[in-house]
Amino acid sequence: MADIFDDLDKQKFGWFHARSILTTGMGVFTDGYDLSSVGIVLLIILSSYGITKSDPDYVLVTSLIAGSALIGAAVGALIFGELARRGRKKFYGIDVLILGVAALMQIFAVNVWLLIIIRLILGIGVGADYVMSPMIMGEHSNAKDRGKTIGFGFGMMWGFGAVLAAFTYMILGPVLGVPDAILWRVVLAVGAIPALGVVYLRRKMPETPRFIARIAGDKKSFEQEVEYVAHKEVRIQGDIKDKHNFKYYFHKYKREYIAAMVLWFFYDQVAYAGILFGPTLIAGKMGLSPDDWTYLMEAFTIAGGIVMLALIDRKGRKSLQIVGFMGMGVFLLIFDYISGIGIVIAIPIAGMMVYGIGMNFFNQAGPGSITASGMYGVELAPTKIRSQIQSYTVAAGRSGAALSSFVFPALFLVLGESFAFYYLAGLAITASIVTLIFIPETKGALEKSSNEINEMNDITVAGGK
């Protein structure tokens, strides 16, 4: 038995890897823009369509505007999880094409229901990208830098997209004074620019070496790929194609796969409560503008992401994630407490700092750059079923986010602020416990973290220069 990917895993980070991060990361950048911008302009959209809090369907319409893309993302993830079994490269680029066209179509939404439908279609592209991008990043990366590669290319690029959404709104709205009826349409449509700009690059991406070897079973193409990426001549002897099926792997490792799905389902409920309703409901309680809220939250998130990049491949995924989820939960409880005694109203910056530290834990200690970047779906599953497991974890996460878009405003407005934050904190703390009990450490070689190395029998590798 031999690890045929050893030369690729040991290859130093180079231009090929950097280009892969840029090409894959721009789709995630667009996802961050599209999913954050709607929260920033949500109140303007409602006002533009004449929807007020006195309307009987106010909560439903608000939730559908915020959550339709998330529902579409769950559908898109399942579709492209199946398609990617037939080739990663074959379908890469279609995801951002859907994103770009749908983003532009938002300009022409003559009523709120058409906007909801367009954002549902946009969500299909989001879900497709959530499956394809981290998987392709992981299958192209070396072992030493895979955590940083996915964490930056998916986790932090999402944050950069969200920052651009806030910056676009600030320039067009407060600075240039674009009328609200036009402002929200342009802000949403700008998401088409990075999406359409990367379609060509994605279509030129090479097929991943792991798909070539373990699914296509093409030894000659795999040897050429190793020579291109790692500058090593190898000759493979034996059958490198994985003959096992989904049932075989799921039966052996279902505990880890299901845990990964549960973690993303929990995480997105907590995260999207802040992403979608932080600039409106939560900030409004403190008398803050959506702008003030968004800028500070993004500053905390990016700062946390930088710390994550320094730790994720040295300390590993598991410990960071346990601390991250626990920190999220604890600071949500602290935020609720100081809110209950009036501090967040009397001293809004104190509330923002406490909530912001919780956002810092999202990324610095792991969940936002591990669970929410699809890292566990990539690293726990072998190549043969990786796209399917990744699609299920994405669909679980998007379902959690969509649920949050409907449940959180109801919890917040009907059952009260404290109940809403206790619910979110409970999810985060439970996720920390799930990570501790069910998730193994996944840093290092991809074939070892997924246990695929145990199935690669009767393969020998003859090395050259």
Side-chain angles (χ1 to χ4, degrees):
M1 182 183 73
D3 185 353
I4 61 175
F5 304 105
D6 193 51
D7 288 323
L8 296 171
D9 282 335
K10 291 179 178 178
Q11 174 67 12
K12 290 183 179 180
F13 188 89
W15 169 242
F16 172 80
H17 302 101
R19 188 179 61 188
S20 297
I21 291 176
L22 175 65
T23 303
T24 55
M26 284 307 295
V28 184
F29 179 92
T30 304
D31 299 341
Y33 185 97
D34 289 334
L35 295 178
S36 296
S37 58
V38 71
I40 297 171
V41 298
L42 182 58
L43 293 180
I44 301 175
I45 293 173
L46 294 171
S47 176
S48 177
Y49 288 124
I51 300 168
T52 66
K53 289 184 179 180
S54 61
D55 293 334
D57 56 352
Y58 174 80
V59 173
L60 175 62
V61 171
T62 300
S63 298
L64 285 172
I65 294 172
S68 54
L70 300 170
I71 296 170
V75 175
L78 295 175
I79 292 172
F80 276 78
E82 288 298 316
L83 291 177
R85 294 171 57 202
R86 296 161 175 81
R88 315 315 196 209
K89 172 183 169 62
K90 191 174 183 180
F91 299 98
Y92 206 39
I94 297 175
D95 48 353
V96 284
L97 184 61
I98 296 171
L99 280 171
V101 172
L104 282 177
M105 291 302 297
Q106 292 174 112
I107 293 177
F108 307 103
V110 294
N111 59 59
V112 71
W113 300 109
L114 181 57
L115 177 64
I116 289 168
I117 292 171
I118 292 171
R119 288 196 62 81
L120 183 74
I121 296 170
L122 181 147
I124 292 175
V126 172
D129 192 61
Y130 271 54
V131 171
M132 302 291 286
S133 286
M135 181 173 63
I136 289 173
M137 285 182 200
E139 292 187 349
H140 274 309
S141 70
N142 58 9
K144 181 182 177 182
D145 300 306
R146 191 177 63 252
K148 292 189 287 292
T149 296
I150 299 177
F152 179 84
F154 198 98
M156 289 197 69
M157 288 293 280
W158 197 103
F160 294 149
V163 169
L164 178 63
F167 184 74
T168 302
Y169 169 77
M170 179 185 70
I171 295 298
L172 294 176
V175 176
L176 297 180
V178 174
D180 284 353
I182 300 174
L183 175 62
W184 71 263
R185 296 176 188 272
V186 177
V187 168
L188 295 184
V190 166
I193 297 173
L196 296 177
V198 81
V199 171
Y200 175 78
L201 291 176
R202 289 198 168 187
R203 296 305 300 159
K204 291 295 183 179
M205 281 279 287
E207 184 57 88
T208 72
R210 286 168 167 91
F211 178 88
I212 291 171
R214 299 294 286 159
I215 296 180
D218 187 341
K219 286 188 285 188
K220 183 177 180 180
S221 294
F222 176 73
E223 291 165 356
Q224 292 171 345
E225 183 78 0
V226 173
E227 185 172 1
Y228 172 70
V229 175
H231 310 294
K232 294 286 185 70
E233 294 181 7
V234 297
R235 294 294 177 265
I236 308 298
Q237 296 178 352
D239 190 354
I240 60 175
K241 187 173 183 178
D242 190 346
K243 298 297 198 301
H244 297 301
N245 57 22
F246 179 88
K247 183 178 179 181
Y248 172 84
Y249 283 116
F250 194 85
H251 177 74
K252 291 183 72 172
Y253 306 111
K254 59 181 177 291
R255 190 180 81 158
E256 290 88 345
Y257 301 158
I258 293 172
M261 297 172 205
V262 169
L263 287 173
W264 207 340
F265 179 73
F266 284 177
Y267 172 85
D268 269 8
Q269 289 186 64
V270 181
Y272 276 86
I275 292 169
L276 297 176
F277 304 109
T280 53
L281 292 180
I282 302 174
K285 283 286 184 178
M286 295 187 283
L288 298 171
S289 71
D291 302 351
D292 294 336
W293 175 272
T294 302
Y295 302 147
L296 188 57
M297 291 305 105
E298 291 303 330
F300 273 108
T301 300
I302 291 174
I306 292 171
V307 177
M308 173 277 301
L309 291 175
L311 297 176
I312 191 167
D313 286 311
R314 289 195 298 153
K315 299 296 184 182
R317 297 19 163 183
K318 184 170 183 173
S319 59
L320 293 182
Q321 174 129 309
I322 292 170
V323 173
F325 272 125
M326 190 61 67
M328 287 166 60
V330 168
F331 275 90
L332 284 171
L333 293 175
I334 294 173
F335 180 83
D336 178 69
Y337 174 75
I338 66 174
S339 177
I341 61 177
I343 291 179
V344 298
I345 296 176
I347 314 174
I349 191 64
M352 293 192 74
M353 291 297 290
V354 170
Y355 199 93
I357 293 171
M359 297 300 104
N360 187 275
F361 273 102
F362 275 26
N363 275 351
Q364 174 179 330
S369 299
I370 297 175
T371 284
S373 68
M375 203 172 295
Y376 280 139
V378 171
E379 294 184 337
L380 289 172
T383 307
K384 185 70 174 286
I385 66 167
R386 184 168 291 128
S387 67
Q388 292 166 288
I389 296 300
Q390 178 71 349
S391 73
Y392 300 155
T393 59
V394 172
R398 301 301 85 181
S399 298
L403 180 64
S404 188
S405 72
F406 288 93
V407 170
F408 185 76
L411 293 177
F412 196 91
L413 298 172
V414 178
L415 298 178
E417 180 181 337
S418 288
F419 187 91
F421 282 109
Y422 280 132
Y423 172 74
L424 297 177
L427 290 177
I429 293 170
T430 302
S432 180
I433 297 170
V434 170
T435 304
L436 175 66
I437 297 174
F438 297 108
I439 298 294
E441 179 52 61
T442 59
K443 70 175 182 177
L446 195 57
E447 281 62 47
K448 292 180 181 177
S449 70
S450 65
N451 293 299
E452 186 171 356
I453 191 69
N454 299 328
E455 313 297 334
M456 296 167 63
N457 299 311
D458 302 323
I459 301 173
T460 59
V461 182
K465 292 185 178 180

